[in-house]
Amino acid sequence: MDGHTISKDEDGATRTAVVMAAIRSRLAARTLAPGDRLPSIRRFAATMKVSPSTVVEAYDRLAAEGLIRARQGSGFYVTGGGLPPLALTQAASPQELVVDPFWVSRQSLDAEPGALKPGCGWLPADWMPDEALRRGFRALARADGAILTDYGGTRGASVLRRLLLGRFAEAGLAVSAEQLTLTGSGTQALDLICRFLLRPGDAVLVDDPCYFNFQALLRAHQVRILSVPYTPSGPDIAAFEAVVAAERPRLYLTNSGLHNPTGASLSPQAAYRVLSAATANDMIIVEDDIFADFEPEPSARLAALDGLERVIRIGSFSKTLSAAVRCGYIAARADWIDGLVDLQVATSFGGPGPVSTELLAGVLAGGSYRKHMEELHRRLAQARREVAARLEPLGIRPWLMPRGGFYLWCRLPEDVDSAELARLAVMQGVVLAPGNVFSVAQMAGNFMRFNVAQSRDPRVIEELGQAMAAMRQQGGAAAHD
Amino acid sequence: MDGHTISKDEDGATRTAVVMAAIRSRLAARTLAPGDRLPSIRRFAATMKVSPSTVVEAYDRLAAEGLIRARQGSGFYVTGGGLPPLALTQAASPQELVVDPFWVSRQSLDAEPGALKPGCGWLPADWMPDEALRRGFRALARADGAILTDYGGTRGASVLRRLLLGRFAEAGLAVSAEQLTLTGSGTQALDLICRFLLRPGDAVLVDDPCYFNFQALLRAHQVRILSVPYTPSGPDIAAFEAVVAAERPRLYLTNSGLHNPTGASLSPQAAYRVLSAATANDMIIVEDDIFADFEPEPSARLAALDGLERVIRIGSFSKTLSAAVRCGYIAARADWIDGLVDLQVATSFGGPGPVSTELLAGVLAGGSYRKHMEELHRRLAQARREVAARLEPLGIRPWLMPRGGFYLWCRLPEDVDSAELARLAVMQGVVLAPGNVFSVAQMAGNFMRFNVAQSRDPRVIEELGQAMAAMRQQGGAAAHD
């Protein structure tokens, strides 16, 4: 993407965040312990190459979070009695309208029934394989008692693992049984990998923009988040190679096919250079392939290119079959899978429940899955065209027209700030996904992600138009104050 | 408990583990970074007050794990290129028969169908509310489409939360809606709390013995695990007060009612002193109340005494209704719940799936639950008596006779090592739960936990008798070598 210029305010906010992150990582690593005095404002400003006022701002915010405390005339000290609980957001309560990476999750997960959710990340119920799921529940009502009551194996049901291995093989990815485990969800797959491979303070590289919950999850791991601009054929390769060589991140986290939020896919050339840079700098890649089955034809995959040496493939069934039946998977090196399975036992006492895996295996094996996906391809292609056409009169245009999937990453008219628009729209019961929740560098304030399957209700475009008009009026009024 | 004498070998193993843990925590805290030289054998032996050979043993093991590397003639160095993945166990593969806190989980979760599992931690399928569950699946087959396909709210289904609040109120625990969230499982409830409140290197106190997966989970959090001996009325209060004052642990993790593995319950006096010591030393308590409904009459609860100020109550439905339908809960201070819910969004994209919560709510609300639990009380009381009587001729005797639940914590004949017995028995397809997997201080080598509902098959006692005989023969033979 272009438009990387950062406004003066944004720049200041970024510098403050960098100083805060530096102190947080010292606290996490315990090089600053309870009772310790923080570096003086002047000295730390010099160390961090920022102005003293930026350090003051950062210390004040950390003090507001309770991590440090000012003592009259003698500087700032780490608070005693143990660190405060992990603070992932700056919002005092979920009700506060701080538009951060948690905002879309909270608003869309906790929306009232019937709310309009063009910003949410899943398909409407009536696009899902309703009859196959109902048939699955009727089958469960007759299943063996152990399936209804036991925990199941540490790697999840073998019937579902076998089905997955077969599907991987069809897609040209040779995975052996020892290289696969089921997990509680796709997000839990990524979480386990981060716990297994990362330590607080490690650097992790993501695309800009990227799926907002990647940021939320990485914050929970207290790692340093780096980003690289995403282009229509994958990450900006020159920037990618530079940041990987300079910062040597431990991990790169991406979607290769139908990238979230842009809908772009990785080109074979970009795939080769990404993997080469990773190999040269001993970086691990996590390829979240959750949208694989939405591609009309498969695009380049890092996992296939690499043969699961340093690439880990993860995915789930929440976009294609059901998000109410939680289950994900990890395909990786066999020795890593062993460690991940232990970690899943320690932290979840096993994988997904047999009820979920039995149901998913039934639907996948039932023969109706291929037809369901073909139907989805057809409906989504139509919805992408329709929704793009309806957004056009509002001056909202797709950055590119994706080959598949349900997202359109759109540029708004120049005078419209997407976070402000989202705050206005949510008061009218419309959940939007404003650009900057996807952007580590906060350079997507003029973008918005639309889920085309959730945007076909005419009220979505109506409410959007009204919110934009209201915003412009407020902006105009404010300019006259 | 008594019998705290530690054999010479166990003592050596413990010392090695302590040295290894000390190095691991320096690696985690990055006071030892990749490329750094480790302290010399002689110097570190003096620091840790152990013999040089113990340090050599510890360094060799850490090198085998890949954490450090010996350089010819110049000592040990932290391996470069980032820390290796988190190693939770010493076993190179799950197949290895290292009896550690993961051993019982792996053996019982991955047992072949039909294996005998007197060591496992759940009831057989035919003790569970089979008909109510099947009715629940038939109801799901007719449910609203959104329940079958959507993620559900960030705190989990409100219908199940309301049912839980009602049940807490009945038990004298006033919990408001803001103080409760559902989680993916009981283990995940504890895992979220640890991530929220703990940092690597923090001290956490557990009972000795305690549920083995507490240890596995705390290892994943890289905290320092302290333990206090458990008595028939709760933790040994003098020892508890001493360790809390001396070490100021951040958290104490316990089961108050029908403690796992002993089946003991906390007395009101012990509850008062535990809570007083926690308050005086600003320690948080996690009360895992997973066995609450197995008590014929409720015993003292820290959560009720404290009113959820510093006590967090967790639980699940896996022991009473189904482990195949994963769902747990956390009741705590409202501001902590907000933070925990954010963390669950970041790491699992929400709580338990609506399919699980709908099913559990249906069974709990259906009116048959009370009858099911009464039936379980009756059957378990009988099974406890029967199994105790069958173990008696083998010289295996309960440490106490619990008021409810499905565990008997038993002392073995003096010459029988329970880990060795478990290793022999598993080769005959019998999964046992040897004492030391429950013991941080490794002082329960002469104990074994029996699940009475899983021990009624006469083959359990037969196989146990044969394994004991084989062990004695081997021991005798070895003595003659």
Side-chain angles (χ1 to χ4, degrees):
Chain A
M1 22 183 318
D2 53 12
H4 289 179
T5 39
I6 294 173
S7 76
K8 207 181 151 206
D9 274 8
E10 279 169 339
D11 202 18
T14 308
R15 278 194 301 253
T16 307
V18 168
V19 176
M20 289 173 73
I23 295 295
R24 275 211 192 88
S25 76
R26 290 174 192 208
L27 292 170
R30 300 262 161 169
T31 50
L32 274 174
D36 286 356
R37 189 175 185 277
L38 267 75
S40 77
I41 306 276
R42 185 185 305 258
R43 186 153 62 83
F44 206 51
T47 306
M48 299 293 293
K49 299 195 175 57
V50 296
S51 71
S53 66
T54 300
V55 177
V56 170
E57 171 75 15
Y59 282 12
D60 278 345
R61 287 198 194 186
L62 291 168
E65 288 180 16
L67 281 167
I68 62 175
R69 182 171 52 199
R71 278 195 209 147
Q72 194 80 42
S74 79
F76 285 83
Y77 289 79
V78 181
T79 47
L83 284 172
L86 188 62
L88 296 178
T89 68
Q90 296 180 356
S93 87
Q95 283 69 47
E96 266 189 47
L97 290 178
V98 176
V99 179
D100 66 7
F102 285 91
W103 193 86
V104 181
S105 315
R106 286 194 200 111
Q107 298 294 343
S108 53
L109 290 171
D110 289 335
E112 294 294 321
L116 299 169
K117 295 180 285 189
C120 90
W122 58 94
L123 293 174
D126 57 0
W127 290 56
M128 297 305 251
D130 190 77
E131 193 34 49
L133 289 169
R134 293 181 195 279
R135 210 162 37 234
F137 285 112
R138 288 193 296 269
L140 274 171
R142 301 183 303 266
D144 183 67
I147 286 171
L148 306 188
T149 57
D150 271 9
Y151 282 94
T154 57
R155 285 161 193 246
S158 58
V159 51
L160 184 52
R161 281 184 284 139
R162 274 196 301 272
L163 282 165
L164 273 176
L165 292 175
R167 295 167 54 77
F168 293 162
E170 274 179 46
L173 182 64
V175 178
S176 70
E178 302 72 43
Q179 293 181 294
L180 180 68
T181 186
L182 302 179
T183 61
S185 70
T187 307
Q188 279 187 47
L190 179 57
D191 187 51
L192 282 171
I193 291 165
C194 290
R195 294 176 86 157
F196 184 60
L197 293 173
L198 303 179
R199 299 291 180 280
D202 279 354
V204 174
L205 183 61
V206 296
D207 302 312
D208 198 326
C210 73
Y211 171 41
F212 50 79
N213 207 55
F214 286 171
Q215 269 191 78
L217 189 145
L218 292 173
R219 279 195 201 174
H221 288 274
Q222 300 174 273
V223 296
R224 199 157 53 94
I225 307 175
L226 308 171
S227 67
V228 62
Y230 208 74
T231 80
S233 58
D236 176 322
I237 286 296
F240 184 88
E241 288 169 345
V243 72
V244 169
E247 304 273 355
R248 294 186 62 100
R250 178 90 167 119
L251 204 78
Y252 169 50
L253 171 58
T254 191
N255 315 112
S256 299
L258 301 178
H259 172 261
N260 182 357
T262 64
S265 290
L266 191 68
S267 73
Q269 296 78 13
Y272 173 74
R273 290 187 58 183
V274 162
L275 188 58
S276 299
T279 303
N281 293 280
D282 199 18
M283 180 176 73
I284 297 163
I285 297 175
V286 176
E287 189 169 53
D288 178 6
D289 221 349
I290 193 163
F291 298 105
D293 289 358
F294 287 96
E295 283 195 304
E297 283 101 38
S299 59
R301 283 299 185 280
L302 295 164
L305 203 58
D306 166 72
L308 294 184
E309 271 303 308
R310 64 173 58 255
V311 178
I312 302 174
R313 178 185 162 131
I314 62 173
S316 89
F317 309 90
S318 56
K319 309 301 178 194
T320 50
L321 295 180
S322 167
V325 181
R326 309 296 311 265
C327 181
Y329 68 81
I330 305 175
R333 277 170 39 180
D335 59 330
W336 287 353
I337 293 291
D338 287 343
L340 290 161
V341 166
D342 274 353
L343 195 54
Q344 183 160 253
V345 166
T347 58
S348 303
F349 204 63
V355 162
S356 300
T357 51
E358 190 75 9
L359 189 80
L360 293 171
V363 176
L364 278 178
S368 64
Y369 180 70
R370 199 177 297 265
K371 215 173 129 198
H372 161 63
M373 288 311 301
E374 278 168 14
E375 174 73 4
L376 277 188
H377 287 172
R378 198 188 55 70
R379 287 178 78 178
L380 286 170
Q382 189 184 339
R384 284 194 303 273
R385 281 192 305 271
E386 270 181 35
V387 172
R390 289 191 203 173
L391 290 170
E392 170 67 33
L394 295 176
I396 301 176
R397 294 183 188 93
W399 180 68
L400 60 70
M401 188 51 92
R403 298 158 51 243
F406 43 81
Y407 295 133
L408 287 182
W409 177 242
C410 295
R411 188 191 296 275
L412 305 182
E414 270 196 20
D415 61 335
V416 178
D417 176 77
S418 64
E420 203 179 329
L421 188 62
R423 275 189 290 261
L424 282 172
V426 84
M427 290 188 250
Q428 307 304 319
V430 182
V431 179
L432 296 173
N436 272 342
V437 304
F438 301 89
S439 175
V440 171
Q442 295 289 288
M443 60 191 193
N446 198 223
F447 283 80
M448 185 80 84
R449 187 191 74 181
F450 289 91
N451 176 333
V452 296
Q454 301 270 10
S455 302
R456 297 176 73 219
D457 188 318
R459 287 176 298 162
V460 168
I461 307 293
E462 269 169 44
E463 296 282 1
L464 200 58
Q466 283 171 16
M468 280 169 65
M471 216 184 114
R472 282 171 169 145
Q473 229 167 17
Q474 279 183 13
H480 290 288
D481 274 352
Chain B
M1 24 185 318
D2 53 10
H4 290 182
T5 38
I6 294 175
S7 79
K8 205 180 152 205
D9 274 6
E10 279 170 337
D11 204 16
T14 307
R15 277 194 301 251
T16 306
V18 167
V19 175
M20 289 172 73
I23 295 295
R24 276 212 192 85
S25 77
R26 289 172 192 210
L27 292 169
R30 301 261 161 168
T31 51
L32 273 174
D36 286 356
R37 189 174 185 278
L38 267 75
S40 76
I41 306 275
R42 186 187 303 259
R43 186 152 63 84
F44 207 51
T47 308
M48 300 292 294
K49 299 194 174 61
V50 296
S51 72
S53 66
T54 300
V55 176
V56 169
E57 170 76 15
Y59 281 13
D60 278 344
R61 288 198 192 185
L62 291 168
E65 289 180 14
L67 281 166
I68 62 175
R69 183 171 50 200
R71 280 196 208 147
Q72 194 80 43
S74 79
F76 286 82
Y77 290 79
V78 180
T79 47
L83 283 172
L86 188 63
L88 296 178
T89 67
Q90 295 180 357
S93 88
Q95 283 68 45
E96 267 189 45
L97 289 179
V98 176
V99 179
D100 67 7
F102 285 89
W103 193 86
V104 180
S105 315
R106 285 195 201 111
Q107 298 294 343
S108 53
L109 290 171
D110 289 335
E112 295 293 320
L116 299 169
K117 295 180 286 190
C120 91
W122 57 93
L123 292 174
D126 58 358
W127 290 56
M128 296 305 251
D130 191 78
E131 194 33 49
L133 289 169
R134 293 181 195 279
R135 210 161 38 233
F137 285 111
R138 289 194 294 269
L140 273 172
R142 300 183 303 267
D144 184 66
I147 286 171
L148 305 189
T149 58
D150 272 8
Y151 282 95
T154 57
R155 287 162 191 244
S158 58
V159 51
L160 184 53
R161 280 183 285 139
R162 274 196 300 274
L163 281 166
L164 272 175
L165 292 175
R167 295 167 52 79
F168 293 160
E170 274 178 45
L173 181 63
V175 177
S176 71
E178 301 72 44
Q179 292 182 297
L180 179 67
T181 187
L182 302 180
T183 61
S185 68
T187 307
Q188 279 188 47
L190 179 57
D191 186 51
L192 282 171
I193 292 164
C194 289
R195 294 176 85 157
F196 184 62
L197 293 173
L198 303 179
R199 297 293 179 279
D202 279 355
V204 174
L205 183 60
V206 295
D207 302 312
D208 200 324
C210 72
Y211 171 41
F212 49 81
N213 207 54
F214 286 171
Q215 270 191 77
L217 188 144
L218 292 173
R219 278 194 203 176
H221 288 275
Q222 301 173 272
V223 296
R224 198 157 51 95
I225 307 175
L226 308 171
S227 67
V228 62
Y230 209 74
T231 80
S233 59
D236 176 321
I237 287 295
F240 184 89
E241 289 169 344
V243 73
V244 169
E247 304 273 354
R248 295 186 62 100
R250 178 93 168 116
L251 204 77
Y252 169 50
L253 172 57
T254 191
N255 315 112
S256 299
L258 301 178
H259 172 260
N260 182 358
T262 64
S265 290
L266 191 68
S267 72
Q269 296 78 14
Y272 174 74
R273 288 185 62 181
V274 162
L275 188 58
S276 299
T279 304
N281 294 280
D282 198 18
M283 182 177 72
I284 297 162
I285 297 174
V286 176
E287 189 168 54
D288 178 5
D289 221 348
I290 193 162
F291 298 105
D293 290 357
F294 287 96
E295 284 195 305
E297 283 103 36
S299 59
R301 283 299 186 280
L302 295 164
L305 204 58
D306 166 72
L308 294 185
E309 271 302 310
R310 65 174 58 255
V311 177
I312 301 173
R313 178 184 163 133
I314 62 173
S316 90
F317 308 90
S318 57
K319 308 303 178 194
T320 49
L321 294 180
S322 167
V325 181
R326 309 297 311 264
C327 181
Y329 68 81
I330 305 175
R333 276 169 42 178
D335 59 331
W336 287 355
I337 292 292
D338 287 342
L340 289 162
V341 167
D342 274 351
L343 194 54
Q344 182 159 254
V345 167
T347 58
S348 304
F349 205 65
V355 161
S356 301
T357 51
E358 190 75 9
L359 188 81
L360 293 171
V363 175
L364 278 177
S368 64
Y369 180 69
R370 198 177 299 266
K371 213 173 130 197
H372 161 62
M373 287 310 302
E374 279 168 13
E375 175 72 3
L376 277 188
H377 287 172
R378 197 189 54 70
R379 287 179 80 178
L380 285 169
Q382 189 183 338
R384 285 194 302 274
R385 281 193 305 272
E386 269 181 34
V387 172
R390 290 192 203 171
L391 290 169
E392 171 68 33
L394 295 177
I396 302 176
R397 293 184 188 94
W399 181 65
L400 59 71
M401 189 49 94
R403 298 159 51 244
F406 43 82
Y407 295 134
L408 287 181
W409 178 242
C410 294
R411 188 190 295 276
L412 305 182
E414 270 195 22
D415 60 337
V416 178
D417 175 77
S418 64
E420 203 179 330
L421 187 61
R423 273 190 293 261
L424 281 172
V426 85
M427 289 188 251
Q428 307 304 319
V430 182
V431 179
L432 296 173
N436 271 343
V437 305
F438 302 89
S439 175
V440 172
Q442 294 290 289
M443 60 191 194
N446 198 224
F447 283 81
M448 185 80 83
R449 186 191 75 181
F450 288 91
N451 175 334
V452 296
Q454 301 272 10
S455 302
R456 297 176 72 219
D457 188 318
R459 288 176 299 162
V460 168
I461 306 294
E462 270 168 42
E463 295 283 359
L464 201 58
Q466 282 171 17
M468 281 169 64
M471 214 183 113
R472 282 171 170 144
Q473 228 166 15
Q474 278 182 13
H480 290 288
D481 275 349

